[in-house]
């Protein structure tokens, strides 16, 4: 009987501590160490860009040139870096460097809504495995399938509302802009 | 008191002297030229200030020319390059002289927007009423007779995609221009500098006009960039469909033996353009002048209905195998009136061979051309 | 001993209190349930159900949106079409006190309703193999890329000639095709359609290089007039006006050249009338006949 009581007490205490601990982890300061490495990387987008690996082995109908492959890796990584900065700081002015058209508009809408609600989104980017599935015949548009490892925090003011570690799949459409490739569509898929 | 009056008188005298000097240096006084060379120099001093009336005082009555004709001859007309030029320098040499006449060679240096222009005239100077005066031959160049010329401008305009169009809508494609041939050579670049020059030809292979430029990068043996330049004035930038232009790109101070690779960057933009004017290049031949230098000479004839203000002659020279080996150019400082032949001459390098193959193209600049 | 027994009782009391607190909080957490629908289509809206008592803060963060709303637990949360207009993953979060529960909501694109049609090039020579490409990007009404399969029809037509039609299934939002250019020059209408939606582009099919270039001479006031026959390509299409045709006259000592422009199908120029001189004609890579003045052709 005593043993059962002690067991209940221990389990209860552990549950309590675990619960409080979890709640504390949620309500504490955001995971600055991890986030800061990405979001606070103010010295040039490329230096703070996440890891991107690109597979062009099954791209059709046009074969991806080496220079284009390098440019896509660079510019897609830069786009994620810029997006993370923009969503964390609620600054739509950071978007045009890497986004254009629909993607830029949707992100700008989200930033405006975040500002209105007093919210922020922080993304800890653990990298992207990208497959180029379409490269247009004249070489001005490319569709990518991206499997991204992300840790996403939603903040209300300074407190973290929710943290999710996800493996997300994105479809991205990149098109040639002035001097680089820019993301025109970025849509998460199942 | 006396001192004050003296000072006032002195000031009056000085003022009168300054007025007299000003009057004398203006058009008020006809300075007499004591020497034939002085007469020529005085004439050109007035030309420098575009003071045709003043210059005419040094033109002998025997010239049988009037101020308007003189101004047209010396100062240019019809928006020609000479009208945009300024006399910078004159050097005179007396070829022979006696008591009543002399022959003076005047080498003039004019500055213009396209660089320096040089002109040489042997002027007959005579003593007229005790003063030396220049016989300025009346300009006998013909003018276009009054006539009605049917002009049907062919012209291209471009409608680019509108800002509101969806992103996939195509803009008009850039013209397809291709470098047909090129040659990298070590040369004296014509300005006393040794260096590498890239000469070649570019063709507009499209069916629309193109604004072309050609860039070149010299890569060294270790992959380093030795120079990066682009064609500037030794090219016709606006090319109609199937038109070919030479180009020359100079890299002063670079040795050809240091160059491992040359990267060419042709660039073509779609531009509105007119198909006119058509300029015929007639009687092209290579002659040797009195100094033993070769000149490529000929006449330009504007076969269109509007005046061409500034013609620009570009000559390409080829070796026996047809590879371009030199491109030279020159501006003609006379405007091209319709159907009136205007001579031109372009320097030929002495090392291009005794009878080089060549091709002459004409670029042109026209002011307020309708349809241009 | 009694002291020890008292301590032991106190320990049991604290543990019991903690257990009670834990159970209370676990109960509260269990009471704050958020359920999201399995399948949502863009702009269709959705109803999220909650359970529990009291009030909570509801957050919805996703593509193009971020909203925060006070809700009553146990009542449904209605999300309008505008809230879920953009396809992608949304995070729905319900927070009551210090406890938050999150759920993911994946919004799928709606039916195909728009095409972004990329037709290249804008100019193409006639009779060229696989020279024209068309790429259709399929979107719904809310600018979401429709990644489910959909059939796109490409249609290329010049003038009265029979059109070329290709039906292509769009995969991952993209359908593309390659087509030959026609033998006839003109503005080709290139149309991509899906359902009732179609987008039209114009591909200018232009004449190729001149073929069978010929010219003749006639005396003129100041020399000789040289004039081509109508300049056409090998398919019989007139070469566009403005194309350069070069006449070269050589007489052994001098050479005269004119870069004439084709106007109304022919090129014309004037050259000096030098007896015995040879006149040739060329346009691009195409060369034509020769005429010797005062002699045979």
């Amino acid at each position: 009987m005593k043993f059962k009581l002690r067991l209940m007490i221990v389990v209860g205490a552990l549950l309590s501590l675990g619960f409080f601990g979890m709640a504390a982890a949620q309500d504490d300061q955001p995971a600055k160490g991890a986030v800061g490495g990405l979001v606070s990387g103010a010295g040039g987008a490329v230096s703070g860009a996440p890891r991107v690996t690109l597979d062009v082995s099954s791209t059709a109908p046009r074969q991806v040139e080496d220079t284009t492959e390098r440019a896509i890796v660079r510019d897609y990584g830069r786009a994620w870096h810029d997006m993370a900065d923009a969503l964390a700081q609620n600054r739509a002015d950071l978007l045009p460097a890497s986004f254009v058209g629909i993607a830029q508009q949707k992100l700008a809408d989200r930033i405006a809504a975040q500002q209105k609600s007093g919210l922020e989104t922080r993304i800890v980017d653990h990298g992207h495995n990208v497959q180029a599935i379409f490269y247009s015949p004249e070489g001005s548009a490319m569709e990518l399938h991206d499997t991204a490892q992300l840790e996403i925090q939603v903040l209300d003011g300074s407190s973290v509302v929710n943290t999710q570690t996800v493996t997300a799949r994105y479809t991205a459409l990149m098109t040639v802009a002035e001097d680089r490739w820019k993301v025109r569509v970025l849509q998460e898929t199942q | 008191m006396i001192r004050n009056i003296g000072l006032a008188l002195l000031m009056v005298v000085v003022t009168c002297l300054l007025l007299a000097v000003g009057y004398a240096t203006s058009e008020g006084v006809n300075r007499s030229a004591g020497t034939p060379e002085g007469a020529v120099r005085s004439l050109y001093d007035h030309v420098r200030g575009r003071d045709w009336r003043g210059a005419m005082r040094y033109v002998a009555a025997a010239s049988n020319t009037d101020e308007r004709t003189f101004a047209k001859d010396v100062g240019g007309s019809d928006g020609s390059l000479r009208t945009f030029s300024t006399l910078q320098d004159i050097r005179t040499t007396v070829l022979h002289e006696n008591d009543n006449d002399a022959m003076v060679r005047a080498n003039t240096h004019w500055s213009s927007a396209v660089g320096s222009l040089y002109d040489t005239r042997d002027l007959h100077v005579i003593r007229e009423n005790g003063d030396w005066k220049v016989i300025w031959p009346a300009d006998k160049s013909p003018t276009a007779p009054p006539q009605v010329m049917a002009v049907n401008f062919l012209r291209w305009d471009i409608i680019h995609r509108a800002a509101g169009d969806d992103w996939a809508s195509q803009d008009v494609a850039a013209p397809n221009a291709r470098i047909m041939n090129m040659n990298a050579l070590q040369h004296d670049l014509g300005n006393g500098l040794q260096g590498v020059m890239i000469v070649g030809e570019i063709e507009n292979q499209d069916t629309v006009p193109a604004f072309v430029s050609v860039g070149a990068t010299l890569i060294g043996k270790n992959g380093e960039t030795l120079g990066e330049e682009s064609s500037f004035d030794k090219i016709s930038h606006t090319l109609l469909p199937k038109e070919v232009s030479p180009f020359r790109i100079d890299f002063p101070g670079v040795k050809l033996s240091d160059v491992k690779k040359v990267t060419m960057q042709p660039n073509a933009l779609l531009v509105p353009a007119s198909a006119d004017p058509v300029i015929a290049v007639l009687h092209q031949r290579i002659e040797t002048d009195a100094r033993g230098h070769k000149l490529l000479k000929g006449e330009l004839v504007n076969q269109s209905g509007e005046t061409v203000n500034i013609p620009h002659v570009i000559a390409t020279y080829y070796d026996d195998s047809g590879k371009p080996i030199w491109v030279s150019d020159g501006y003609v400082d006379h405007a091209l009136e319709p159907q009136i032949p205007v001579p031109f001459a372009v320097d030929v390098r002495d090392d291009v061979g005794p009878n080089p193959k060549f091709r002459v193209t004409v670029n042109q600049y026209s002011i307020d051309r309708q349809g241009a | 001993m009694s002291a020890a027994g008292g301590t032991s009782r106190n320990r049991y009391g604290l543990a019991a209190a903690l257990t009670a607190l834990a159970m209370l909080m676990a109960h509260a957490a269990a009471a704050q349930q958020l359920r999201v629908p399995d399948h949502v289509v863009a702009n269709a809206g959705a109803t999220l159900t909650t359970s529990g008592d009291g009030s909570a803060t509801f957050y919805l963060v996703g593509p193009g949106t971020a909203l925060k709303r006070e809700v009553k637990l146990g009542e449904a949360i209605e999300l309008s079409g505008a809230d879920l207009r953009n396809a992608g993953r949304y995070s729905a979060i319900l927070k009551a006190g210090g406890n938050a529960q999150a759920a993911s909501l994946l919004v799928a694109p709606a039916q195909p309703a728009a095409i972004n049609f990329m037709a290249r090039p804008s100019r193409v020579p006639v009779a060229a193999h696989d020279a024209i490409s068309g790429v259709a990007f399929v979107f719904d009404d809310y600018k979401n890329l429709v990644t489910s399969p959909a059939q796109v029809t490409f249609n290329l037509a010049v003038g009265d000639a029979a059109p070329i039609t290709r039906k292509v299934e769009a995969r991952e939002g993209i359908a593309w095709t390659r087509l030959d250019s026609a033998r006839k020059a003109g503005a080709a209408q290139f149309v991509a359609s899906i359902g009732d939606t179609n987008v039209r582009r114009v591909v200018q099919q232009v004449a190729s290089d001149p073929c069978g270039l010929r010219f003749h001479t006639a005396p003129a006031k100041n020399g000789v007039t040289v004039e081509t026959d109508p300049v056409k390509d090998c398919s019989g299409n007139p070469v566009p006006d403005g194309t350069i045709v070069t006449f070269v006259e050589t007489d052994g000592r001098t050479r005269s050249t004119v870069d004439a422009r084709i106007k109304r199908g022919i090129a014309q120029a004037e050259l000096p009338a030098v007896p015995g001189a040879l006149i040739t004609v060329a346009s691009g890579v195409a060369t034509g006949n020769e005429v010797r003045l005062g002699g045979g052709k």
Side-chain angles (χ1 to χ4, degrees):
Chain A
M1 185 66 189
K2 276 184 183 175
F3 175 75
K4 282 184 181 174
L5 186 63
R6 279 185 182 178
L7 186 65
M8 279 181 64
I9 291 167
V10 170
V11 169
L14 285 173
L15 279 172
S16 307
L17 290 171
F19 184 86
F20 283 124
M22 191 170 76
Q26 282 193 346
D27 284 350
D28 265 352
Q29 293 300 306
K32 277 185 178 168
V35 175
L38 182 65
V39 175
S40 66
V46 175
S47 64
R51 177 187 56 80
V52 175
T53 55
L54 177 63
D55 175 10
V56 295
S57 59
S58 54
T59 311
R62 177 179 171 135
Q63 200 171 3
V64 182
E65 306 86 1
D66 288 347
T67 50
T68 305
E69 189 177 342
R70 285 195 294 274
I72 289 288
V73 168
R74 181 196 64 212
D75 294 341
Y76 189 64
R78 182 174 6 213
W80 272 91
H81 175 266
D82 289 349
M83 182 173 75
D85 273 0
L87 290 174
Q89 300 169 38
N90 282 338
R91 284 181 54 190
D93 62 300
L94 299 177
L95 298 171
S98 295
F99 292 88
V100 68
I102 302 165
Q104 185 191 345
Q105 187 56 54
K106 288 184 177 181
L107 284 168
D109 289 348
R110 175 167 171 176
I111 287 168
Q114 285 191 168
Q115 279 176 322
K116 191 178 168 188
S117 306
L119 303 177
E120 289 172 12
T121 305
R122 295 199 170 175
I123 299 171
V124 184
D125 197 325
H126 295 301
H128 301 258
N129 285 322
V130 181
Q131 192 178 19
I133 62 158
F134 173 82
Y135 184 27
S136 63
E138 84 301 335
S140 68
M142 190 181 289
E143 187 175 286
L144 308 174
H145 281 187
D146 175 17
T147 304
Q149 303 292 332
L150 305 170
E151 191 180 330
I152 302 169
Q153 293 181 329
V154 178
L155 290 88
D156 187 350
S158 60
S159 65
V160 175
V161 176
N162 181 250
T163 300
Q164 286 182 315
T165 301
V166 294
T167 299
R169 289 181 178 80
Y170 287 89
T171 295
L173 181 64
M174 297 192 79
T175 55
V176 173
E178 308 83 44
D179 60 342
R180 63 176 68 171
W181 289 81
K182 290 189 178 182
V183 177
R184 188 170 285 281
V185 173
L186 185 63
Q187 194 168 297
E188 192 174 349
T189 53
Q190 202 136 27
Chain B
M1 179 69 179
I2 292 170
R3 185 182 292 175
N4 285 347
I5 290 170
L7 187 63
L9 281 173
L10 181 67
M11 285 178 70
V12 168
V13 169
V14 168
T15 305
C16 288
L17 279 172
L18 287 172
L19 284 170
V21 168
Y23 182 69
T25 54
S26 69
E27 299 173 8
V29 172
N30 185 7
R31 285 188 299 165
S32 60
T35 63
E37 208 171 357
V40 172
R41 286 190 159 277
S42 296
L43 183 147
Y44 275 105
D45 282 346
H46 286 275
V47 166
R48 193 196 313 270
R50 301 188 91 79
D51 172 17
W52 315 122
R53 184 165 296 174
M56 281 298 288
R57 294 198 184 96
Y58 299 93
V59 174
S63 303
N64 197 23
T65 190
D66 58 20
E67 182 186 326
R68 191 175 152 276
T69 310
F70 175 80
K72 186 180 171 190
D73 186 16
V74 183
S77 63
D78 299 317
S80 70
L81 186 57
R82 181 57 69 82
T83 62
F84 299 106
S85 307
T86 307
L87 178 63
Q88 289 296 309
D89 189 26
I90 172 169
R91 288 182 186 176
T92 53
T93 311
V94 179
L95 299 178
H96 70 79
E97 180 182 355
N98 59 32
D99 288 346
N100 292 317
D101 72 4
M103 186 64 76
V104 179
R105 176 166 292 168
N107 292 301
T108 50
H109 169 201
W110 303 74
S111 65
S112 77
V114 295
S116 295
L117 302 169
Y118 298 92
D119 189 19
T120 300
R121 288 186 191 233
D122 290 344
L123 297 169
H124 188 196
V125 189
I126 60 167
R127 199 182 275 277
E128 201 173 73
N129 299 325
D131 292 330
W132 287 100
K133 296 208 173 179
V134 178
I135 291 187
W136 195 274
D139 184 14
K140 295 287 195 301
S141 58
T143 54
Q147 61 189 303
V148 177
M149 287 190 76
V151 176
N152 52 351
F153 281 116
L154 173 63
R155 162 186 174 101
W156 293 262
D157 282 329
I158 306 160
I159 301 170
H160 287 287
R161 58 174 289 191
D165 288 354
D166 74 63
W167 58 270
S169 77
Q170 60 191 342
D171 203 351
V172 278
N176 173 27
R178 192 172 69 90
I179 292 175
M180 299 163 66
N181 51 42
M182 60 151 282
N183 199 3
L185 300 156
Q186 179 83 44
H187 254 304
D188 173 355
L189 298 172
N191 47 10
L193 290 170
Q194 287 286 328
V196 170
M197 68 172 192
I198 310 290
V199 292
E201 290 174 304
I202 183 167
E203 182 188 8
N204 175 9
Q205 298 187 324
D206 215 315
T207 54
V208 292
F211 183 89
V212 297
S213 61
V214 182
T217 307
L218 302 185
I219 310 291
K221 286 171 182 166
N222 298 318
E224 75 279 20
T225 300
L226 298 175
E228 198 172 343
E229 298 285 349
S230 64
S231 55
F232 175 57
D233 59 348
K234 287 170 181 59
I235 185 171
S236 287
H237 285 290
T238 302
L239 295 184
L240 298 182
K242 305 287 183 280
E243 190 169 9
V244 177
S245 170
F247 63 84
R248 189 182 111 192
I249 307 169
D250 294 342
F251 293 88
V254 179
K255 287 182 181 170
L256 187 60
S257 56
D258 294 337
V259 178
K260 183 187 175 190
K261 194 171 81 171
V262 180
T263 309
M264 304 299 295
Q265 298 104 25
N267 187 29
L269 300 172
L270 199 55
V271 286
S274 166
D276 280 344
V278 176
I279 301 171
V281 191
L282 307 182
H283 307 120
Q284 305 161 36
R285 72 268 181 199
I286 290 182
E287 292 183 355
T288 306
D289 68 7
R291 296 169 298 167
H293 290 160
K294 282 182 190 159
L295 291 172
L296 171 55
K297 289 185 167 184
E299 288 93 48
L300 304 180
V301 177
N302 173 7
Q303 296 192 343
S304 304
E306 280 196 22
T307 300
V308 170
N309 301 108
I310 304 175
H312 178 206
V313 176
I314 308 176
T316 317
Y317 305 89
Y318 307 86
D319 65 12
D320 291 339
S321 66
K323 282 179 88 173
I325 51 171
W326 178 247
V327 173
S328 64
D329 70 326
Y331 289 88
V332 178
D333 64 0
H334 279 65
L336 299 183
E337 286 190 52
Q339 309 298 337
I340 305 298
V342 172
F344 72 89
V346 182
D347 285 335
V348 180
R349 294 177 65 96
D350 292 333
D351 58 359
V352 294
N355 293 303
K357 294 176 185 170
F358 59 85
R359 191 173 80 91
V360 179
T361 54
V362 185
N363 202 7
Q364 59 84 27
Y365 304 92
S366 296
I367 303 162
D368 298 332
R369 168 167 289 280
Q370 291 177 357
Chain C
M1 188 68 188
S2 68
T7 307
S8 174
R9 271 198 301 276
N10 285 346
R11 261 194 223 131
Y12 287 137
L14 179 62
L18 283 171
T19 306
L21 184 63
M23 291 173 74
L24 189 68
M25 298 194 84
H27 173 73
Q32 180 193 320
Q33 288 284 342
L34 176 67
R35 287 193 179 161
V36 297
D38 293 335
H39 183 72
V40 181
V41 173
N43 201 50
T47 302
L48 280 57
T49 56
T50 66
S51 59
D53 295 319
S55 62
T57 306
F58 172 71
Y59 299 90
L60 181 74
V61 179
T65 193
L67 62 85
K68 176 184 172 183
R69 196 188 286 176
E70 293 303 317
V71 296
K72 284 187 176 172
L73 294 174
E75 292 183 1
I77 300 171
E78 295 294 338
L79 295 176
S80 69
D83 291 333
L84 300 172
R85 185 163 284 171
N86 299 314
R89 188 177 299 275
Y90 291 71
S91 289
I93 305 160
L94 199 57
K95 187 175 180 185
N99 181 29
Q101 195 196 355
S104 283
L105 180 64
L106 193 71
V107 174
Q111 289 300 305
I115 293 176
N116 279 54
F117 181 31
M118 199 185 269
R120 299 287 188 276
S122 63
R123 287 183 310 283
V124 65
V126 293
H129 179 60
D130 272 354
I132 300 170
S133 72
V135 181
F137 300 88
V138 183
F139 290 88
D140 66 9
D141 263 336
Y142 316 105
K143 297 179 179 175
N144 300 306
L145 189 69
V146 180
T147 49
S148 54
Q151 194 169 69
V152 176
T153 305
F154 295 99
N155 194 298
L156 181 73
V158 189
D160 301 332
I164 305 168
T165 301
R166 294 267 172 85
K167 289 184 188 297
V168 180
E169 186 165 275
R171 291 180 181 175
E172 302 296 340
I174 297 174
W176 65 276
T177 189
R178 268 199 182 120
L179 301 166
D180 298 346
S181 60
R183 296 184 68 81
K184 186 179 173 189
Q189 305 293 314
F190 196 11
V191 180
S193 54
I194 186 164
D196 297 334
T197 304
N198 59 66
V199 179
R200 182 182 303 269
R201 303 280 185 238
V202 174
V203 175
Q204 201 74 35
Q205 299 190 125
V206 296
S208 197
D209 288 324
C211 199
L213 191 59
R214 290 194 66 80
F215 78 101
H216 54 271
T217 62
K221 188 178 158 193
N222 297 320
V224 60
T225 298
V226 285
E227 184 180 293
T228 62
D229 297 343
V231 184
K232 295 183 176 177
D233 70 3
C234 294
S235 301
N237 297 295
V239 172
D241 278 6
T243 302
I244 295 285
V245 173
T246 304
F247 295 98
V248 179
E249 181 189 69
T250 47
D251 63 7
R253 285 190 315 109
T254 68
R255 168 187 160 98
S256 299
T257 56
V258 184
D259 277 348
R261 284 78 166 141
I262 296 176
K263 281 187 180 178
R264 293 178 181 153
I266 61 166
Q268 190 190 59
E270 274 190 33
L271 288 167
V274 183
L278 182 71
I279 302 177
T280 60
V281 66
S283 179
V285 293
T287 54
N289 61 320
E290 297 178 347
V291 173
R292 191 170 290 281
L293 293 180
K297 294 183 180 180

